[in-house]
Amino acid sequence: MLYSTVTMEKYVHRVNYYETDKMGITHHSNYIRFMEEARVYFMDQIGWGFAKMEDEGVASPVLAVTCDYRHSTTFSDLIEIEVSLLKLSAVKMQIGYTMSCKGRVVCTGTSTHCFLDKEGRPLILQKALPGFYDTLSGLLAQAPST
């Protein structure tokens, strides 16, 4: 398994009024949605948006999600989301998210994804989409040594 902390351009989400609860705080369930928005943006940045993957016959469903809340946000706050490729194997990848608002981390999380063909069978990314695998591997190769 390969590991990385390389990040791309941050995604910014402005909290909408409907995303808050009766107390005026961003409802916790929305942070998972924000992670997905940021992941879509990340995939577009690396040239492998979801439409391109689907055109190639590959799906990448979520296997697991973690979300750790540190501070609340409210209506109209701007949340900057830093997306990092954390791990890559032949059949899975894990993405990390750091969400910040007004200079402090408000939430961190991860999502783990596998790769499936059109029939829903697992596939080995390096064989099915070598260009995509090379792009992800390249991000990992750029990771600073720890």
Side-chain angles (χ1 to χ4, degrees):
M1 173 114 16
L2 302 170
Y3 297 86
S4 173
T5 57
V6 172
T7 58
M8 303 298 287
E9 183 178 318
K10 292 178 183 177
Y11 174 76
V12 179
H13 178 88
R14 181 179 299 277
V15 177
N16 294 295
Y17 184 76
Y18 69 84
E19 294 169 329
T20 63
D21 59 21
K22 189 174 181 177
M23 298 177 288
I25 295 171
T26 306
H27 192 272
H28 67 276
S29 65
N30 288 300
Y31 290 90
I32 304 295
R33 289 181 45 249
F34 303 161
M35 288 166 49
E36 175 143 356
E37 292 172 11
R39 183 172 63 255
V40 168
Y41 185 68
F42 170 80
M43 298 295 284
D44 285 342
Q45 284 186 81
I46 65 171
W48 286 93
F50 285 98
K52 181 175 181 175
M53 286 181 54
E54 289 173 3
D55 287 347
E56 296 287 339
V58 176
S60 183
V62 175
L63 297 174
V65 175
T66 67
C67 199
D68 298 309
Y69 307 99
R70 298 187 181 178
H71 297 282
S72 59
T73 59
T74 59
F75 170 64
S76 200
D77 279 347
L78 291 176
I79 301 173
E80 292 183 336
I81 306 171
E82 191 174 303
V83 178
S84 304
L85 179 62
L86 299 177
K87 299 178 187 176
L88 177 66
S89 72
V91 295
K92 289 193 284 189
M93 71 176 168
Q94 185 180 55
I95 297 175
Y97 309 86
T98 302
M99 300 178 219
S100 301
C101 181
K102 301 174 186 168
R104 69 178 180 180
V105 174
V106 296
C107 186
T108 58
T110 64
S111 61
T112 303
H113 308 262
C114 67
F115 304 102
L116 304 176
D117 66 16
K118 289 181 181 181
E119 287 76 41
R121 294 183 303 245
L123 54 79
I124 296 173
L125 187 61
Q126 191 172 14
K127 291 180 182 176
L129 281 180
F132 181 38
Y133 183 84
D134 290 346
T135 298
L136 295 174
S137 295
L139 289 174
L140 293 169
Q142 296 172 24
S145 305
T146 55

